[in-house]
Amino acid sequence: MISILGFAAIALLVLSVYLVARRRTPAPVEAIPLPPPRSSWTANIGVSDATPQPQERIALVERLGVVGSAWCVDVLERALEDEHDARVRDAAWRALLALRTEPP
Amino acid sequence: MNTALELTPRLLARCARLCDHVSVSGLLPHLVVLSWLLPQHTGSQQLNERLAHLARTVRERCEHLYVRLPSSPSAQDVEDASSRNATLELASMILSVQEDDAAACHDEAMPCVTGEIARDRVSALLFDLRSAPLGSIVPWIFFGELLGTSIAYRSTRSDALAPYRALLLERFTALAEQSPQIFWQSLVRGGDAALRERLRAFVDAASGAKALAATGA
């Protein structure tokens, strides 16, 4: 009789520990998509849309490379630092390289 | 009044690059080229300083506009009150200044863009410059009048810029008959094959002069 009571007490203890532990385990949170990272360099040239698409940013980079004035070089260098999209960074790198090999 | 501009290899390289991009973005690249090719030298030092100031202002505005390439440019994208005032001051000075020297490029190793500003044309534009609203095409007609016509290098001379200048002025004059909105839209819409071709002819001719300059021939 004592052993049965002891077994029941242990079972109750295990059950209560399990229930407490289960209550403390956080429920899985549904994944929330994060906004795409911003590339702040476009704000420096007064682009009204704060987050233009990568293709638009590549076109911006190309036009900066075409104009090639000192302020364009500054913006391209900023793009190289701030830009999160590798394709845009690559375009900025190529534009800067072309401008640095430009005749004086 | 004679004018001159040193055509540095960098300036020429930029014109050539822009020429390759002209077809994609309306009249705006031509405004950039025009701002780059505004004369540096006249027969008056005072006028040269005023020209340099205006050229810098116009160049900066055009370059930024070209890079941003807004879908619908507006008056303030094209001009502000201070640049209109600077344009008016320059136009008035062209009509009144005494020339001390002949306009000439300082670096003989560079091809030189030369031209002549017709004072009667400037005089005729002065009234329109005073009365036209900001963002109008009138200042661009004035800048077009300042553009040179020839490339001179040592004993050689070519009038390769004259056809481009003439067609540019023709386009501007036609746009002056339209509303300013049409001018702003023309900056970013459509291409002008004939204008592009004449710009290319100038770049090619200047590249030939540059090649001569590089070889010292």
Side-chain angles (χ1 to χ4, degrees):
Chain A
M1 184 68 187
I2 291 171
S3 64
I4 292 171
L5 283 172
F7 181 77
I10 290 167
L12 274 171
L13 188 67
V14 169
L15 184 65
S16 61
V17 167
Y18 168 74
L19 287 175
V20 168
R22 194 178 164 200
R23 189 177 292 174
R24 284 186 183 161
T25 306
V29 178
E30 196 180 321
I32 301 168
L34 291 170
R38 288 192 168 200
S39 295
S40 60
W41 65 271
T42 53
N44 290 6
I45 45 176
V47 172
S48 53
D49 182 0
T51 53
Q53 295 299 303
Q55 281 310 318
E56 294 169 57
R57 297 204 298 279
I58 289 173
L60 271 173
V61 160
E62 284 172 354
R63 289 196 295 274
L64 284 162
V66 167
V67 172
S69 294
W71 70 269
C72 301
V73 173
D74 291 344
V75 176
L76 286 169
E77 282 173 348
R78 181 81 195 271
L80 214 52
E81 287 171 13
D82 286 359
E83 177 58 52
H84 59 83
D85 190 304
R87 290 165 300 173
V88 186
R89 274 202 314 276
D90 190 44
W93 172 251
R94 275 185 276 114
L96 276 170
L97 200 65
L99 290 175
R100 281 177 183 151
T101 53
E102 197 178 51
Chain B
M1 173 183 287
N2 292 324
T3 62
L5 164 77
E6 269 133 26
L7 196 58
T8 64
R10 176 173 286 180
L11 177 55
L12 185 55
R14 285 179 187 178
C15 289
R17 264 204 313 265
L18 203 52
C19 190
D20 293 336
H21 283 245
V22 157
S23 58
V24 293
S25 38
L27 202 55
L28 187 51
H30 296 285
L31 300 197
V32 179
V33 168
L34 178 52
S35 76
W36 286 346
L37 295 179
L38 285 174
Q40 288 171 307
H41 311 292
T42 65
S44 155
Q45 186 55 37
Q46 197 188 1
L47 190 56
N48 293 349
E49 285 164 16
R50 198 57 66 92
L51 254 172
H53 168 71
L54 182 65
R56 206 166 35 244
T57 308
V58 173
R59 201 174 295 148
E60 227 165 76
R61 181 173 289 273
C62 285
E63 289 178 355
H64 275 87
L65 188 58
Y66 175 75
V67 168
R68 284 193 291 121
L69 210 62
S71 52
S72 302
S74 59
Q76 55 265 39
D77 287 320
V78 180
E79 192 186 21
D80 64 11
S82 70
S83 65
R84 174 62 68 89
N85 287 336
T87 308
L88 271 167
E89 283 172 16
L90 181 73
S92 304
M93 193 181 273
I94 287 171
L95 297 177
S96 62
V97 79
Q98 292 288 324
E99 291 182 80
D100 308 316
D101 300 300
C105 285
H106 296 163
D107 189 347
E108 287 182 1
M110 300 284 167
C112 184
V113 173
T114 60
E116 193 173 344
I117 302 173
R119 280 188 160 126
D120 58 333
R121 290 285 309 129
V122 174
S123 177
L125 280 168
L126 199 56
F127 174 78
D128 291 339
L129 276 173
R130 287 194 180 115
S131 58
L134 286 181
S136 139
I137 195 156
V138 174
W140 296 99
I141 299 177
F142 170 66
F143 300 143
E145 292 287 346
L146 304 185
L147 194 62
T149 50
S150 309
I151 310 163
Y153 176 67
R154 297 192 179 161
S155 58
T156 63
R157 186 185 167 86
S158 149
D159 285 336
L161 191 51
Y164 178 64
R165 179 187 189 270
L167 191 57
L168 201 56
L169 279 170
E170 198 180 305
R171 297 291 191 258
F172 287 170
T173 308
L175 280 166
E177 306 293 321
Q178 311 279 332
S179 73
Q181 285 79 6
I182 302 280
F183 165 48
W184 305 333
Q185 284 307 310
S186 76
L187 293 176
V188 292
R189 302 245 169 101
D192 190 323
L195 206 49
R196 181 176 188 269
E197 206 172 285
R198 291 191 186 192
L199 177 59
R200 172 58 69 191
F202 158 69
V203 168
D204 289 346
S207 301
K210 188 193 83 171
L212 283 176
T215 57

